[in-house]
Amino acid sequence: MPKTTRVIVGPAEGGAQLTLASGELLPRVVAVRENSAHVALVAGGALLLGGDHVDLEIAVGPGCTLELEEISGTVAYDGRGRAARWDTRITVADGGRLLWQGLPFVVATGADVTRTMSLDLAPDATACLREVFVMGRHGEAGGELAAITRVTHGDVPLFVEDLRINGAHRRPGVMGRARIADVVSLYGRRAEPDGRTVALQLAGPGSIARDLGSHAHASPLDSTWQAWRDLATQELTQF
């Protein structure tokens, strides 16, 4: 069994109470304020190699805000026939807010990666996430990626997706010729149309914006991330 990385924030008198545990990822405290915390995730070694398994557990307590940042992007290397996994489990209690802007997740040629995320939101909880998937390093087609997402809101399914990409066998309607998939997601509340971002509005409270392109730095979703991040925290003043 993999060693689990844990980041748990809960309310406490005089400031948020943090519980941290290290696994393949090492959580590092950036700042702690009243009912809020800012934590950086640092790789404990080269990630991801064939056979690696990253296991991450995140919990945000009632009325708390947790901001996660990644110090560097991740490269899933050629596993030489061995698969790798990255599993994330997230719970956000009522009044809780999670902000997580991920850096590029690169799937090199020869890599075989399964990346799962389960996100359970209480009825009055919000999460704003950004994920950037990159198929291959420079000059590569990229390997195989299964990105599996399950989101519930108040115990009701909000978003379910199984995204499967093979860099050597691109499929129309998935990524086509694009190398980069930039995804900004807002769960627990909906982003109203602003005339600039084309967003998928979920049946429940949630919005998703995607951009498919060739270069991560050319994505138009930087402004979308900032606007949706602000929306997720508009009732709060910690960040």
Side-chain angles (χ1 to χ4, degrees), residues 7-87:
V7 181
I8 301 172
V9 58
E13 185 176 352
Q17 178 177 331
L18 267 174
T19 301
L20 305 177
S22 296
E24 296 287 350
L25 298 175
L26 312 178
R28 295 290 183 258
V29 178
V30 177
V32 177
R33 303 181 179 90
E34 183 180 358
N35 293 332
S36 68
H38 185 172
V39 175
L41 297 175
V42 181
L47 292 176
L48 287 164
L49 304 176
D52 281 351
H53 187 175
V54 174
D55 191 67
L56 177 60
E57 179 182 322
I58 299 164
V60 183
C64 293
T65 296
L66 173 62
E67 181 168 8
L68 290 176
E69 79 171 278
E70 298 177 12
I71 298 301
S72 63
T74 299
V75 177
Y77 296 96
D78 185 345
R80 302 185 183 278
R82 303 182 67 195
R85 292 188 64 91
W86 183 304
D87 296 321

Side-chain angles (χ1 to χ4, degrees), residues 160-231:
V160 176
E161 180 181 62
D162 286 12
L163 177 63
R164 297 178 185 271
I165 306 169
N166 186 321
H169 302 284
R170 301 299 179 89
R171 291 183 293 166
V174 181
M175 285 188 66
R177 296 180 180 276
R179 290 185 56 245
I180 314 293
D182 190 358
V183 185
V184 178
S185 306
L186 180 64
Y187 301 116
R189 63 180 64 186
R190 180 172 292 187
E192 297 301 325
D194 60 8
R196 300 188 305 272
T197 302
V198 177
L200 169 67
Q201 302 293 356
L202 303 182
S207 304
I208 298 175
R210 301 178 189 265
D211 179 72
L212 303 181
S214 300
H215 303 286
H217 68 269
S219 171
L221 295 187
D222 286 346
S223 60
T224 302
W225 159 256
Q226 189 59 54
W228 290 12
R229 176 193 184 282
D230 291 346
L231 178 61

